Amino acid sequence: MLIQVILLVAVAVVTLLLTRSTAGARHQAIRRLGLVVFITAAVASILFPQGLSRIANAVGVGRGADLLLYALVIAFLSYISTSHRRMNRMSRQITALTRELTLAEARAADQGHGLTEEPEMPEDA
């Protein structure tokens, strides 16, 4: 019984942490739907562990704990994949911003030294 209370508190904490996302509306909606499914499955497996064992047996896994481990491995791999894509996107954004900043600083330095991109020609010349 104590482990059920501890696990339910842990699920509640994870729920609070995951709902603080600042992503776009579509991503946030998908995340919240996934969160509802996760919470429902987590609470059900904590309160009714024999149900998880029945599901495990139905899909050919010996124990519910093994099925849970397999699901966690898949979730971990999904997290790693998502994090890798996010880091690559952020790296590209940082590179683009660095280039823009360097070009802006070079333009400002050129203008500060009296250099212009093209000298102006008088109109009557």
Side-chain angles (χ1 to χ4, degrees):
M1 185 65 177
L2 178 61
I3 190 66
Q4 290 177 331
V5 172
I6 292 169
L7 291 172
L8 287 171
V9 169
V11 168
V13 169
V14 169
T15 301
L16 290 175
L17 291 175
L18 290 177
T19 55
R20 293 178 17 183
S21 173
T22 59
R26 179 182 173 145
H27 180 73
Q28 204 167 25
I30 292 170
R31 179 182 241 172
R32 286 188 179 163
L33 286 174
L35 186 61
V36 168
V37 170
F38 165 74
I39 292 169
T40 303
V43 169
S45 67
I46 292 167
L47 295 177
F48 308 107
Q50 67 277 9
L52 188 59
S53 293
R54 283 191 207 118
I55 293 170
N57 291 330
V59 297
V61 177
R63 302 180 307 163
D66 293 337
L67 179 62
L68 184 59
L69 175 65
Y70 299 151
L72 288 174
V73 167
I74 291 170
F76 177 72
L77 292 174
S78 298
Y79 173 77
I80 293 295
S81 173
T82 303
S83 294
H84 180 70
R85 284 190 309 234
R86 186 180 311 129
M87 291 300 290
N88 283 343
R89 186 176 59 240
M90 286 174 50
S91 178
R92 286 191 304 269
Q93 288 174 336
I94 289 170
T95 300
L97 287 170
T98 303
R99 287 180 182 151
E100 287 296 322
L101 180 61
T102 302
L103 290 172
E105 288 175 348
R107 275 186 241 130
D110 285 348
Q111 289 175 356
H113 288 95
L115 300 175
T116 58
E117 292 188 19
E118 289 197 28
E120 293 184 30
M121 299 295 288
E123 292 198 23
D124 53 62

